Amino acid sequence: QVQLVESGGGLVQPGGSLRLSCAASGSFFSIDTMGWYRQPPGNRREFVATITSGGSTNYADSVKGRFTISRDNPKNTVYLQMNSLKPEDTAGYYCYANVRDTPYSRRDYWGQGTQVTVSS
């Protein structure tokens, strides 16, 4: 079992910044890709950013240039630095990890979510 715990959400004004953190704990062989997804009010969960164990990143077009994903492998932690925040960034943000339980199997894990609200 793997647990993902997010932190760092809150209320921020448009143009402001927040940094989200997600720490993984439990029993696993390795963690491959980690990332962030979000669910705006009344909408489906959508991709935000991912990062591989080697540091390769991908971003949704809506956040590219404003958000930066990073990770600290020894701490099993992934971060999302969010700058120039817009009201449309308001959502529950969920941490994701693709975990290699053994060399022969993988599973997807999700955190409980942390709320980000961008409002004047």
Side-chain angles (χ1 to χ4, degrees):
Q1 288 288 327
V2 177
Q3 296 81 45
L4 304 177
V5 180
E6 303 100 329
S7 62
L11 175 64
V12 65
Q13 295 187 91
S17 298
L18 284 174
R19 187 183 71 169
L20 306 183
S21 300
C22 173
S25 62
S27 300
F28 50 86
F29 184 76
S30 64
I31 300 177
D32 190 3
T33 299
M34 302 186 77
W36 294 91
Y37 289 67
R38 67 187 183 187
Q39 187 168 358
N43 286 274
R44 299 284 300 275
R45 191 171 297 182
E46 64 185 32
F47 165 78
V48 175
T50 55
I51 183 168
T52 69
S53 60
S56 297
T57 59
N58 284 289
Y59 296 93
D61 289 342
S62 59
V63 307
K64 195 169 186 177
R66 299 188 298 121
F67 291 10
T68 302
I69 189 170
S70 61
R71 65 191 286 171
D72 186 336
N73 288 333
K75 295 181 179 179
N76 295 316
T77 300
V78 63
Y79 305 93
L80 186 68
Q81 178 66 47
M82 304 185 294
N83 298 328
S84 302
L85 283 162
K86 305 174 180 179
E88 50 262 47
D89 295 318
T90 295
Y93 282 71
Y94 295 85
C95 180
Y96 160 82
N98 184 254
V99 178
R100 191 174 295 276
D101 298 310
T102 75
Y104 314 106
S105 62
R106 297 183 295 173
R107 286 190 62 187
D108 293 337
Y109 289 86
W110 295 90
Q112 81 288 348
T114 185
Q115 179 66 34
V116 172
T117 302
V118 184
S119 176
S120 299

